Amino acid sequence: MSKSLSKRPSKAAVKAKSQNASVQQNSAEEPTIAKPMTRVVAILYDGMLILALLFLVGTVLTVLGTLMTMETGSQSSQAQSLPTWYQNVVMTPSFVLTLVAFYGIFWRRGGQTLGMQTWRLKTVNNAGHLLTWGQSFKRILAACLMPLLFGIIGSLIGGSRAVLLTGAFFGLMFNYVFCLFNRRGLAVQDMLSNTITLKMPKVAHEGLWRGFKNRKKDK
């Protein structure tokens, strides 16, 4: 009886063995290039937050523009639209800067936006490092290239704002449909900006706030 008990492995040994097996299994997992559908879903997640930010910025700028450039009245018939120069020189650049700041801050700190974190996506450069401000801006411009091109084509064909927006939407989708025809599964913005979006394994996935914290420590 005592002999059989001595041969039975202890609980600590069993636990250590299971942990080693788990580590070996997880180490075999590696980041892979993110699938286009997963990227689109993450964009939809982020889109809700971006729209809220743009709405906030637009509201503040509209109030400031009204106070600075127009006379206010007390009746609806006295309502006016903001001057074209204010919309083009102030509001449009502010919307662009808001978009750049949103992605730039998240990409530089942890490589992930809130939507990307949900699906364990991470954007890095070709060397595997977090993006700089320059690389982030270049990636955003690259992502906007096809929507802008498709939007211009749509406006030339239809001439209406609805056709322009429809063309821009198809241009955005083209960025990710392109992944299906690229050998490595890269999107248009990946190729043009020398960056890549990866699907991270669970063991290598780092929470967004932990990524922010570790980024500060590295500095």
Side-chain angles (χ1 to χ4, degrees), residues 23-60:
V23 170
Q24 290 177 358
Q25 181 180 359
N26 290 331
S27 63
E29 299 181 17
E30 294 182 356
T32 58
I33 296 177
K35 301 297 183 183
M37 194 62 195
T38 308
R39 298 191 193 195
V40 172
V41 174
I43 288 177
L44 293 178
Y45 274 52
D46 288 329
M48 293 183 285
L49 180 56
I50 291 172
L51 286 177
L53 289 174
L54 293 178
F55 177 79
L56 177 61
V57 172
T59 301
V60 172

